[in-house]
Amino acid sequence: MPDVPAPADRVNILLVDDQPAKLLSYEVILRELGENLVMASSAREALEHLLKIDIAVILVDVHMPEMDGFELVELLRQHPRFEETAVIFVSGIHLTDLDRLRGYQVGAVDYVPVPVVPELLRAKVRVFAELYRKTRQLEKLNAELERRVAERTSALELANARLRESEAELQQSNEELERRVEERTREREAAKADLLQMQKLESLGQLTGGVAHDFNNLLMAMLGSLELLKKRVGEDEKARRLVDNAIQGAERGAALTQRMLAFARRQDLKPETVDVAPLIEGMTDLLRRSIGPNIEIETRFGPALKPALVDATQLELALLNLGLNARDAMPDGGRLRVCVENATAPRQGGAPDALGPGDYVRILVEDSGIGMDEATLARAVEPFFTTKGIGKGTGLGLSVVHGLVTQLGGAMAIRSRAGQGTTVELWLPVGKERPAMTEQPAPQAGEQRRCRVLLVEDDALIMMGTTDMLEDLGHEVLQASSAAEALDVLEKTTVDLMITDHAMPGMNGSELATRCRQRWSDLPIILATGYVDFPAQVSGTVKLTKPYRQAELAAQISALVPGAGGGAASLVA
Ligand SMILES: Nc1ncnc2c1ncn2[C@@H]1O[C@H](COP(=O)(O)OP(=O)(O)OP(=O)(O)O)[C@@H](O)[C@H]1O
Ligand SMILES: [Mg+2]
C-alpha cells in the first residue's frame, strides 16, 4: 500500500452523486488513499461544501436531477477560486463524444467511465490530490521564502541604519577630537607667537639701541665739526648754505636716533610726579589741530585720579603719536576718546602680562577707525613696521611709545580688530607724591619782556617743540596750523610777533608774511624755513633756518622785539 499522507497534509476530496449507494462505493474505493472524503448528494449540497472548505478534487456524477454535473462545474468555473479545481466526471450511461467535449469545455480535467475500475479511480484521484498538495506546499514554501527574505531585508536595513548612525557618531567624535586638537594647537601657537614677539622686540631693542647709540655719537661728532666749520666759512653764503644743509641732515638723523633710543628704552628720561588729566587737557588743543576738524575728541577722567610717575614731555609726545595714528586710521573722520583711570594689575581685566602687580594710572586712547587685522596687530609695535608706505611712516611711533612706558616701569597693550577701531592702553606707574605747586616768580623790573607770539606751523611735532622753547623763554604762545588760521587769529587779537613756517599747504609762509605786511605793517615776522633756496625776502621779516636752536630763536626774537629774549638752553626743533 502506498504511503498515506500525515493528517496535517491531508486534502479534501468532494464526492458528488445523487445515489447513496454509489457515494458509498466511491468512499470505499478511495478510503485507502488516506485523504478526507466529503460527501454531497446533490449539486446544491456540493456547492455548500465548496464554499466552506478547500477542496482538492471533485468527483462528480454527470447525471443528477435538478443540476447535472456539467452545469455544476460550469457554475463553479465562473468563480476565480475554482478556476483550477480538479474535476473528475463519472458517468453511468454511455457518453457521446459531444458529452465528452462538453466536459472538457467546462475545464474538467478527467473522466471515469462506469463501471468504475477502482484502481483507475484511485490512481486518478491520487494524482490530482498529490498535485494539489504539492502546489499548496510550494505556495507555502514560497510565502515562507518571501517572509524570510522580507525579514532578512528589514534586519539588514536596521543593521545598515545602525551602522550609519554609529558612523555618524564616530565622525562626530572624530570632529570633536580634531576641533580640540586644533584649539589646543592654536592656543599653543598663540602663546609661542607672543613669546617670540617679546623676544624679537627685546633683541630688536638691543640691536637698535646699540646701533642708534653709535650713530648718535657719530652724529654728535659731525654736528660739532659742522658748527665749527660754519664759523670758518665766514661770509661765503653758498658754503654756509651747504654746511647748514649738512647740519640739518645730521640733526634729522639725530632726531631719528632719538626715537630709536626711545624704543630701545635707552632714553634720557626725567620721570616726575605728574597729574595726567591736566596734562591731557593742556594738549587737547594741540591734538585737535594735529588730527583735524573731522575727528571729534572726547576726554574722560575717572574719579580721584592718582598722579603718574612719568616724563611729562615724553608722555605728551607719546599721546601725540597715538593721536596721529588714530588720525591716519580715520581718514573720513570719527571719534578719538582719551580716558584716564586708576587701575590695578593683575586684578583688572586686560592688564598686560608684562606688568607687575600693583596700582597704575591707565590711559586709554581709543579710536573708531579702520582697526588692524591680526597680522598688522601682531607686528604694530615692531620698530620700522609700517603700513603707511615709504616716506609716509617711519614705523617708529608705537615702538617709541612702547619703549617709553616700559622704561617708566609700565606697559602698553593694544586691542584692535579690522573695521572695529583700536584701543591703546598705557599703564603708567603711580607717582609717589603730589607735584609741588611751584609759584611763578613775578617778573622783576628791568627783566626781559614777555611777548605774545603767534606760531604758525603745520607740523604738530615741530609746533610742540617750538612752543616748548618759546614758553621756556617766558613767552605766551598762540598756535595756528595754517596761514588762514593765523590770519583769523590776527583779526581777533594783537600779538607782539609772528613766527611762521614757510612750507605749508595752501598759502605758504612768504605769502602769509606779504598779506600781513599789507594790514599790520609793523608786525615783526620770523620766517622759518628748511629750504636752501629761500624765496625773495619780504620786507621787515627775518629768516630762521630750520632746525633752529633755542638760542637762535631767542636771538631773532630779541632782534625784532626790543627787550624780549633771554638766556636759553639748546633744543632742536
Ligand atoms: N590707531 C591705529 N589704527 C589702525 N592701525 C594702526 C593704529 N596705530 C598703529 N596702527 C598700525 O601700526 C603700524 C605701526 O604704527 P607706528 O605708529 O609704529 O608707525 P606708523 O604710524 O606707520 O609710522 P609713524 O608713527 O612713524 O608715522 C601703522 O603703520 C598701522 O598699520
Ligand atoms: Mg605712528
Side-chain angles (χ1 to χ4, degrees), residues 256 259 321-330 336 365-367 369-373 376-377 379-389 392-401 414 416-417 421-424:
L256 197 65
R259 298 187 84 187
N321 258 317
L322 298 180
L324 293 177
N325 279 352
R327 175 200 64 191
D328 294 344
M330 298 185 283
L336 173 70
V365 180
E366 188 187 319
D367 67 58
I370 54 171
M372 290 179 246
D373 57 25
T376 308
L377 182 60
R379 299 192 57 195
V381 186
E382 255 174 51
F384 308 112
F385 173 80
T386 178
T387 56
K388 293 177 186 167
K392 288 194 182 145
T394 62
L396 280 170
L398 284 176
S399 348
V400 164
V401 180
I414 310 176
S416 186
R417 273 210 193 159
T422 301
T423 304
V424 180

Side-chain angles (χ1 to χ4, degrees), residues 279-433:
L279 177 136
I280 290 174
E281 288 282 19
M283 65 177 296
T284 42
D285 251 11
L286 172 71
L287 263 180
R288 194 161 284 130
R289 258 196 303 277
S290 342
I291 66 178
N294 285 344
I295 297 169
E296 184 196 331
I297 300 183
E298 197 183 306
T299 49
R300 287 190 187 176
F301 304 125
L305 284 178
K306 291 179 181 154
L309 186 67
V310 292
D311 182 316
T313 310
Q314 296 307 321
L315 179 62
E316 279 183 344
L317 272 173
L319 291 172
L320 188 62
N321 258 317
L322 298 180
L324 293 177
N325 279 352
R327 175 200 64 191
D328 294 344
M330 298 185 283
D332 303 322
R335 194 204 58 234
L336 173 70
R337 186 186 284 157
V338 185
C339 310
V340 188
E341 59 202 10
N342 296 329
T344 310
R347 254 181 294 144
Q348 216 129 9
D353 293 342
L355 214 54
D359 287 341
Y360 292 87
V361 176
R362 178 163 65 173
I363 305 179
L364 296 156
V365 180
E366 188 187 319
D367 67 58
S368 57
I370 54 171
M372 290 179 246
D373 57 25
E374 265 180 48
T376 308
L377 182 60
R379 299 192 57 195
V381 186
E382 255 174 51
F384 308 112
F385 173 80
T386 178
T387 56
K388 293 177 186 167
I390 299 165
K392 288 194 182 145
T394 62
L396 280 170
L398 284 176
S399 348
V400 164
V401 180
H402 170 258
L404 170 72
V405 290
T406 317
Q407 194 178 345
L408 287 170
M412 177 174 82
I414 310 176
R415 279 179 277 130
S416 186
R417 273 210 193 159
Q420 294 184 18
T422 301
T423 304
V424 180
E425 288 184 14
L426 304 183
W427 292 64
L428 304 170
V430 170
K432 294 286 173 283
E433 79 242 35

Side-chain angles (χ1 to χ4, degrees), residues 187-201 353 378:
E187 282 171 9
R188 230 184 108 239
E189 291 296 313
K192 216 165 86 181
D194 280 353
L195 189 71
L196 271 178
Q197 177 71 359
M198 266 169 67
Q199 288 172 341
K200 192 157 122 191
L201 283 182
D353 293 342

